[in-house]
Amino acid sequence: MRLLLLGTAAIALSGCSWLGLGGHGKSKHYGSGHGQYKAHAPQGVGCHSGQCLSRWNLEGGVGVAFNAGGDILTPDQITPETNAVINDVSFADAYDPGFRAELGGSYALTPNSKVTANGFFQQHDSAGVQNLGTIGGEAFTGSFSDYTSYGAEVGYRHYFKPRIAPVLKNFRPYVEAKAGAAYVEDINIEGATVGGALIAPGAPNIGFYDSSWVPTAAGLVGIETPIAKYTTLGIETGIRYAGRPESSDDLITGASPIAGINNGGRNWTVPFMLRGRYRF
């Protein structure tokens, strides 16, 4: 239900303000300097020219997040005397590309800059059974449960001069930096086996990472183009980082031959988002 609501809301937005064209009470006068982006604001207190800076915007987006780096399982901290030989398992191997949805708003500081805030939901489905290594010479296999996270971010966005393009006619590029926090739901190794037999009879799932909060950050680039008087549509990409979740010690304890394999979990993704903004 959370996924459906976020996706529906983001698609329904379908746009945004074109960076300060139009506005209401809390506005200041400025010139467009580029006729393709002019939009006449409602005449009101503090806005007599019809070219004023819209401060508040409603924003949303949906898209795909491609795994770009980080290991969910790593042998770096495994006990040297153990009889286990463990493989590195990357997020790209363990998970399919994910779905991401965002919903939030922005406030224009100037015609070329905004502060942003948004909530988000991101999920990656498991890519299936993985070869995790060997324990006592026997094959160690299992699949990871889905990677699900949600949280909030704040950011700063800077716009550049509008450009002309054959298809879009007009577009405006921007860059944005974001930081925030995500709650990552618990991750298990499902159906873990050694030599074809369950590694823990009666407990087919091994707790791997506990549900926990992690820091997030992103560097983004995008373009926007106006599609209606108060709306724009755009595309965005870049790089995103999510920190390491808390390691689970439910079954992977110091006495386990695989102790230390769940000390990775830092994740890098490349998003490709369709974004909309609506100005008030």
Side-chain angles (χ1 to χ4, degrees):
M1 179 60 70
R2 178 174 59 242
L3 180 62
L4 177 61
L5 289 175
L6 280 171
T8 302
I11 293 172
L13 289 178
S14 187
C16 76
S17 80
W18 186 244
L19 218 85
L21 295 172
H24 299 281
K26 294 184 179 179
S27 58
K28 67 179 182 181
H29 297 281
Y30 78 102
S32 168
H34 201 290
Q36 292 84 352
Y37 292 97
K38 275 190 177 179
H40 290 287
Q43 298 296 319
V45 177
C47 184
H48 303 292
S49 68
Q51 295 179 12
C52 302
L53 178 62
S54 279
R55 295 292 187 181
W56 294 101
N57 301 265
L58 182 63
E59 306 199 12
V62 292
V64 180
F66 297 96
N67 295 298
D71 293 329
I72 188 168
L73 182 151
T74 174
D76 294 348
Q77 299 184 40
I78 196 169
T79 305
E81 294 78 16
T82 185
N83 63 349
V85 178
I86 300 300
N87 300 325
D88 279 301
V89 179
S90 69
F91 273 91
D93 290 334
Y95 291 103
D96 295 332
F99 170 83
R100 184 178 178 91
E102 299 179 359
L103 184 63
S106 63
Y107 180 81
L109 300 174
T110 72
N112 295 324
S113 63
K114 291 182 184 289
V115 289
T116 64
N118 66 271
F120 66 86
F121 173 85
Q122 185 166 325
Q123 180 168 317
H124 297 256
D125 292 339
S126 172
V129 176
Q130 304 292 314
N131 176 13
L132 307 179
T134 63
I135 299 178
E138 300 285 343
F140 175 33
T141 63
S143 61
F144 293 93
S145 59
D146 295 346
Y147 183 97
T148 301
S149 67
Y150 39 90
E153 295 175 322
V154 295
Y156 174 81
R157 184 184 301 153
H158 178 78
Y159 288 88
F160 297 97
K161 181 180 178 180
R163 309 292 176 86
I164 305 299
V167 176
L168 298 177
K169 295 185 178 179
N170 309 289
F171 71 91
R172 198 171 196 187
Y174 66 85
V175 294
E176 183 171 2
K178 286 188 173 185
Y183 186 76
V184 180
E185 294 186 352
D186 60 277
I187 299 173
N188 302 319
I189 300 180
E190 299 180 334
T193 64
V194 175
L198 290 176
I199 192 171
N205 297 334
I206 298 177
F208 204 64
Y209 292 109
D210 290 332
S211 297
S212 49
W213 286 95
V214 303
T216 65
L220 305 168
V221 296
I223 60 172
E224 293 181 343
T225 187
I227 60 172
K229 186 175 181 180
Y230 297 106
T231 62
T232 66
L233 197 64
I235 56 174
E236 178 181 273
T237 187
I239 188 73
R240 288 188 174 279
Y241 168 80
R244 182 179 70 85
E246 182 178 346
S247 302
S248 174
D249 59 0
D250 291 345
L251 290 175
I252 303 179
T253 64
S256 170
I258 57 174
I261 68 173
N262 56 345
N263 288 317
R266 296 175 180 86
N267 186 19
W268 297 86
T269 57
V270 173
F272 187 81
M273 303 282 290
L274 178 66
R275 301 196 59 84
R277 217 158 29 94
Y278 178 85
R279 68 178 175 83
F280 295 97

